[in-house]
Amino acid sequence: MQDPMKQMEFTSRLIHVVGDEGVILNPADQEFYVNDWLGKSHGRTVAVVRPRNTAEVSAIMRLCHQSQTPVVPQGGNTGMSGGATPDMSGAQVILSLNRMKRIHEVDPVNNTLTADAGVVLADIQQAARAVDRYFPLSLGAEGSCTIGGNLATNAGGTGVLRYGNTRDLTLGLEVVLPDGRVWNGLRGLRKDNTGYDLKDLFIGSEGSLGIITGVVLKLFAAPAGRVSAWVGAQEMTSVVTLLNRLQAACGPRLSAFEMMSGPSLALVTRHLEAHVSPLDKTYPYYVLIELADTNMSGLQEMLQDALTLATEDGLIDDCVVAMNEAQSVSMWRLREGISMAQVKAGKAVKHDIALPISSLATFVKEADEAVQKSFPELPIINFGHIGDGNLHYNLLLPLAISNTAYKETTDHLNKSIHDLVTQFNGSISAEHGVGTLRRDELKRYKSSVEMDLMNAVKRAIDPNQIMNPGKLL
Ligand code: FAD
Ligand code: 2HG
Ligand code: ZN
């Protein structure tokens, strides 16, 4: 929207809908919204508009539809793929859900929670705990990401192994369509075969089809507690064998199995204060394991016995079982600190990949060899939710690298890693989404049939292409 008169008229209409306090026009106050936290994506905006309810979202979308103004939905702005940042044109509106924070209902009989899309994930977890239930979605950004952002990216995190990803935790959705119509699918049903599952179209659509305004989530029985352990191992093959053994021995009690390579842990202990490894020696791989149950009786022994057996069989070299909750918390701080340590230490080239678990060890061996051949000195920060086959196979470039060199090296590394992922029938985006970061990569690896189908869905729901242009597709 380049015409200043039209822009003024548009923003005054926005103010009419949401009030003065719901529209941010001052560039200094827009800073948080137009940049991402990684410092990689930057943009400009006509206005940041912050509705309080679905009716206001609908009125905003009607205005954007009439004026053909592009809209960038935004939740907590913690995303890792540039999906919530507008482009540099200054023509796009940011629609932030950060004032839509109501939890409407917690139903411990139906085991469901109904909330606005702008509720922060940690507040949803807390509301479930308040009725002695459990909401298992958990990730490092849970204190600031929103459930709407989790839905839009189909977020994963550390609980997927046992409970599934955001899609698996969702029963119903409410969405405002690009023309302002509201689809109310806020149903708390575990069975509903009345045609296409529309909610699954919007989950993982990264704001490209509509604004998610509300959700009905599944709740679970609250675990009575957890037992955590930290393990050191020499080989990725041993780590995968340990995963299979623990699944066999502990069944659904195995609630997390998170891997960190030696360089990943070293990065955290070097760059973050008061982060200390629980083991005396260093190892090529570490695993953070967690068991949880509604009955704690025998849980610690179960983990201890499985780890003793694994040590005797030479699968693992050393391990420590947390003796109390404080020790569990400090193990988790090491795992959750890796993202921040990367930001402090360099410019990461991030690969959020999924592979069949049976291919993980061979993939890592071949990927390490390929990287070392081209860039022998490059730190490989490989970690992730390997219980789900999801690796964050990140490569750390120096902080002082020029933009041109960063881009050239990134293009080279992306191609080499993603080609290999494709050879193993993997995915180039496991949980962070495509956004702008992997948009061109997506075109390279998706078949033309898949791209045609996705573009057809986009055209059907957003014919004027106003929803989050330039992202995903
Ligand atoms: P935003 O960043 O605001 O937006 C993300 C995308 O969703 C954008 O495309 C945006 O347009 C769209 N969007 C947001 N809200 C809506 C809405 N209401 N309707 C339609 N579209 C919308 N992610 C994981 O999956 N697993 C992890 O383990 C994980 N760990 C993280 C750890 C840290 C320390 C950090 C900073 C991030 C981590 N993330 C992780 C990434 C991020 O937190 C998730 O992608 C999260 O789901 C984004 O939520 P958000 O509210 O911040 O969304
Ligand atoms: C995690 O698992 C997040 O900690 C972040 O998904 C991954 O920093 C990353 O690349
Ligand atoms: Zn992750």
Side-chain angles (χ1 to χ4, degrees), residues 37-38 80 138-141 156-158 258 335-340 342-343 348-352 381 383-385 390-394 431-432 438:
W37 72 280
L38 286 165
M80 295 224 171
S138 175
L139 42 112
T158 53
E258 296 284 312
R335 166 61 184 86
E336 303 292 12
I338 306 175
S339 293
M340 193 42 73
Q342 288 173 96
V343 173
V349 181
K350 286 181 181 277
H351 299 107
D352 167 37
I381 308 301
F383 64 103
H385 321 283
N390 177 188
L391 294 176
H392 298 305
Y393 192 88
N394 298 344
E431 58 171 11
H432 295 162
R438 301 185 183 90

Side-chain angles (χ1 to χ4, degrees), residues 33-349:
Y33 299 89
V34 295
N35 301 299
D36 76 341
W37 72 280
L38 286 165
K40 280 187 180 169
S41 304
H42 309 280
R44 293 171 56 228
T45 185
V46 182
V48 179
V49 58
R50 300 163 64 223
R52 285 162 294 202
N53 53 48
T54 304
E56 288 185 359
V57 176
S58 168
I60 294 164
M61 288 313 300
R62 275 199 305 276
L63 281 178
C64 293
H65 174 67
Q66 281 155 14
S67 56
Q68 305 260 311
T69 304
V71 181
V72 180
Q74 193 176 94
N77 201 11
T78 69
M80 295 224 171
S81 310
T85 313
D87 66 15
M88 289 303 290
S89 67
Q92 305 184 333
V93 167
I94 297 177
L95 194 156
S96 166
L97 282 290
N98 68 8
R99 290 206 300 172
M100 288 184 56
K101 287 179 170 305
R102 280 207 306 154
I103 294 180
H104 294 269
E105 187 188 23
V106 186
D107 180 344
V109 177
N110 197 36
N111 277 313
T112 47
L113 182 152
T114 307
D116 283 349
V119 179
V120 168
L121 174 56
D123 293 338
I124 296 211
Q125 296 166 341
Q126 178 51 38
R129 269 196 298 274
V131 294
D132 196 27
R133 294 292 182 274
Y134 181 59
F135 183 64
L137 184 65
S138 175
L139 42 112
E142 62 198 24
S144 39
C145 65
T146 62
I147 192 67
N150 303 146
L151 286 154
T153 55
N154 187 25
T158 53
V160 176
L161 178 64
R162 180 166 179 177
Y163 296 97
N165 51 24
T166 308
R167 188 187 300 283
D168 300 310
L169 304 173
T170 305
L171 292 176
L173 272 195
E174 180 185 73
V175 179
V176 176
L177 300 175
D179 59 8
R181 282 180 301 157
V182 179
W183 170 51
N184 184 338
L186 288 174
R187 290 182 284 267
L189 304 175
R190 282 162 179 86
K191 289 190 167 182
D192 180 11
N193 280 352
T194 51
Y196 302 136
D197 197 333
L198 295 177
K199 71 178 177 345
D200 275 346
L201 271 183
F202 293 98
I203 298 172
S205 66
E206 302 186 41
S208 66
L209 298 178
I211 311 284
I212 299 170
T213 45
V215 61
V216 182
L217 297 164
K218 287 184 199 169
L219 300 181
F220 297 83
R226 62 179 176 176
V227 183
S228 314
W230 188 271
V231 163
Q234 297 291 342
E235 307 276 351
M236 193 66 182
T237 45
S238 317
V239 170
V240 173
T241 308
L242 180 64
L243 167 68
N244 289 152
R245 279 203 183 183
L246 287 171
Q247 284 173 320
C250 312
R253 294 175 199 86
L254 182 63
S255 44
F257 194 88
E258 296 284 312
M259 181 279 290
M260 278 140 287
S261 65
S264 309
L265 179 64
L267 203 70
V268 173
T269 53
R270 198 176 320 129
H271 290 276
L272 302 184
E273 258 176 52
H275 284 63
V276 182
S277 171
L279 300 177
D280 294 332
K281 292 192 184 155
T282 57
Y283 297 95
Y285 294 101
Y286 303 93
V287 189
L288 172 52
I289 300 162
E290 188 169 286
L291 302 191
D293 203 345
T294 48
N295 178 353
M296 293 293 286
S297 156
L299 205 62
Q300 187 150 2
E301 293 73 20
M302 182 184 278
L303 185 54
Q304 191 73 64
D305 290 351
L307 293 179
T308 304
L309 204 62
T311 313
E312 285 166 6
D313 292 348
L315 276 184
I316 60 176
D317 287 55
D318 200 359
C319 67
V320 52
V321 176
M323 296 315 289
N324 50 44
E325 182 56 20
Q327 285 180 6
S328 285
V329 169
S330 44
M331 288 177 182
W332 275 104
R333 279 180 70 224
L334 289 168
R335 166 61 184 86
E336 303 292 12
I338 306 175
S339 293
M340 193 42 73
Q342 288 173 96
V343 173
K344 288 187 184 244
K347 280 195 181 163
V349 181

Side-chain angles (χ1 to χ4, degrees), residues 378-418:
L378 206 59
I380 302 176
I381 308 301
N382 178 17
F383 64 103
H385 321 283
I386 68 153
D388 319 323
N390 177 188
L391 294 176
H392 298 305
Y393 192 88
N394 298 344
L395 303 153
L396 205 57
L397 300 176
L399 273 174
I401 193 169
S402 71
N403 287 344
T404 319
Y406 179 78
K407 180 162 181 347
E408 271 170 20
T409 319
T410 301
D411 288 350
H412 177 92
L413 288 167
N414 281 348
K415 182 158 188 327
S416 144
I417 299 302
H418 289 160

